[in-house]
Amino acid sequence: MSRIVHKFTRTVPQWQPRVTPVKLDEATPEQLDALSVTPSNTKVSAYVLTLAHDVESLKVRSPLFNAIMYDAGGMSRAEREVGALAASMVNRCIYCAAVHADRHAKLEKDTSVTDELFAKGENADLSPRNRVIFDFARKLSEAPVGATAEDMAALREAGLSEEEILDLILSSSLFGWANRLMHVLGDPVREEVSA
Amino acid sequence: MSIFDTTTLSAAGVTPGSATAAATETRANIIEATQAAEDAVLTPKDPGAFPHPLRAALAARVAALGGEPALAERYAARAGGSAALADPAQDGTDQGLSHLMAFVDKVANDTRNIDAQDIAGLQTAGVSDADIVRLCELVAFLAYQLRVVAGLRLMTGAAA
């Protein structure tokens, strides 16, 4: 038996779709082509097979996702993960939050920031720089016009460059997208360990 | 097409020569891919149950609900016979699409409270799994684009 995970965790759950994913052996040539642009083409995840129902979006989404999260320059990868995590916490996407909290902890070789965020949410005790990054991403995630000129000024006062600010906008907004797929189309689940 | 002609940068009012423009030029690949993603949800070759004018209407609706009237107007201009649904005050009853409108509005603005029943409800109403994914991709992309537009506008220092 598996149960749905409701609490934020860094231990990445399984993802169980609420719709029937495309079956690999029934995929159209277009779907197979789009599936091959994902990082792993030997074992395609249930999530990617679900998104294969909209093959045109899937094909453009993977390169865009990778560019926003991993391209060189601008904001550090760990700080982009804070943007992703803030969005995932606002939208309560347990799966996305787990993946990106885990990635942040591994990049920083430190779990304290994500421990603090999961324990205290927006009241977490953060460094001044992480504070303004998290707050901006949280407000932008709550509503498109939720962040204000004061929030933007706080990013600049904390020393973020224009390129870093752009990367923060992109990474947190990207998870406005990803959360609305992951959290809407499936459940985060974990296998029950039977006694 | 210059990146400044994309929907996202033009809606945000990012014009060449500004500090914000210089930052976006370092991420030109992302701005271009954002336009490609917009085209994939607004005008896909295979639209499923959602013809292009209906997609434009839904995009306008999500933009209006998100507080981006200028972007809403851009999309509404392409909504043709579906234009009524661009108005968030219309619940879709007249078009027989109230289940879709309720779902779109909830995914866009109350994401955290979506649960399995919301998806089961669409399935019961006869919406195919492929169309559920298509609808989610449209709303999810808009959630991203609206935030990029709003964030860029803050970068330029212009009032909303």
Side-chain angles (χ1 to χ4, degrees):
Chain A
M1 274 302 289
S2 60
R3 64 179 170 82
I4 296 173
V5 182
H6 293 288
K7 280 189 178 169
F8 288 125
T9 170
R10 255 192 323 268
T11 308
V12 179
Q14 300 283 105
W15 187 80
Q16 183 174 284
R18 293 169 175 164
V19 298
T20 306
V22 169
K23 291 179 182 65
L24 203 50
D25 57 359
E26 294 173 9
T28 65
E30 262 197 313
Q31 286 170 332
L32 289 172
D33 178 50
L35 290 166
S36 72
V37 301
T38 62
S40 151
N41 56 10
T42 51
K43 188 182 181 307
V44 185
S45 71
Y47 179 59
V48 173
L49 287 168
T50 298
L51 298 189
H53 280 300
D54 186 343
V55 66
E56 291 166 71
S57 283
L58 176 61
K59 199 167 169 66
V60 293
R61 187 183 165 280
S62 304
L64 177 56
F65 185 100
N66 290 333
I68 289 174
M69 296 308 289
Y70 308 127
D71 271 6
M75 179 167 261
S76 75
R77 281 187 55 182
E79 287 179 341
R80 293 182 218 185
E81 298 292 353
V82 174
L85 182 56
S88 302
M89 290 177 70
V90 165
N91 293 320
R92 289 203 69 83
C93 184
I94 303 292
Y95 186 95
C96 300
V99 169
H100 295 279
D102 180 59
R103 228 166 256 175
H104 181 273
K106 284 176 176 151
L107 286 163
E108 295 283 278
K109 298 183 174 59
D110 179 10
T111 61
S112 63
V113 171
T114 49
D115 282 343
E116 184 71 16
L117 281 169
F118 282 166
K120 297 185 194 155
E122 63 187 82
N123 300 316
D125 186 13
L126 301 171
S127 69
R129 192 174 157 106
N130 274 339
R131 172 88 267 155
V132 296
I133 289 172
F134 184 82
D135 283 350
F136 183 87
R138 175 175 61 78
K139 291 181 184 181
L140 192 63
S141 299
E142 282 169 352
V145 292
T148 65
E150 290 71 38
D151 299 315
M152 180 58 64
L155 293 175
R156 291 183 172 131
E157 280 158 25
L160 275 76
S161 68
E162 296 303 292
E163 288 77 12
E164 287 175 321
I165 292 170
L166 175 60
D167 284 348
L168 175 61
I169 292 167
L170 290 168
S171 59
S172 55
S173 299
L174 177 67
F175 277 79
W177 183 350
N179 295 162
R180 283 172 179 80
L181 299 174
M182 272 279 176
H183 178 66
V184 174
L185 290 169
D187 286 297
V189 296
R190 217 180 297 289
E191 294 301 314
E192 291 284 7
V193 181
S194 50
Chain B
M1 179 195 245
S2 143
I3 58 169
F4 300 104
D5 298 326
T6 62
T7 304
T8 304
L9 292 198
S10 57
V14 178
T15 48
S18 63
T20 306
T24 60
E25 281 168 328
T26 69
R27 296 295 188 211
N29 59 325
I30 291 171
I31 304 301
E32 286 161 4
T34 298
Q35 184 63 49
E38 177 191 314
D39 296 343
V41 293
L42 265 296
T43 54
K45 287 192 289 292
D46 178 3
F50 312 110
H52 297 174
L54 175 57
R55 287 169 178 266
L58 296 177
R61 181 183 185 92
V62 174
L65 281 168
E68 288 288 344
L71 188 55
E73 230 170 87
R74 270 168 196 265
Y75 286 131
R78 297 157 58 179
S82 296
L85 296 170
D87 175 2
Q90 299 290 320
D91 69 0
T93 304
D94 292 350
Q95 295 80 9
L97 298 176
S98 57
H99 57 301
L100 294 183
M101 295 310 110
F103 181 74
V104 164
D105 294 352
K106 189 172 181 183
V107 173
N109 297 310
D110 191 21
T111 318
R112 69 171 75 193
N113 289 318
I114 287 278
D115 62 26
Q117 290 310 311
D118 293 301
I119 298 297
L122 290 181
Q123 289 168 329
T124 304
V127 183
S128 75
D129 283 357
D131 285 330
I132 291 171
V133 175
R134 290 184 180 107
L135 193 58
C136 286
E137 285 278 13
L138 173 63
V139 179
F141 169 78
L142 262 296
Y144 159 79
Q145 184 178 47
L146 287 171
R147 285 166 175 80
V148 175
V149 168
L152 284 169
R153 191 189 299 111
L154 287 175
M155 283 183 77
T156 67

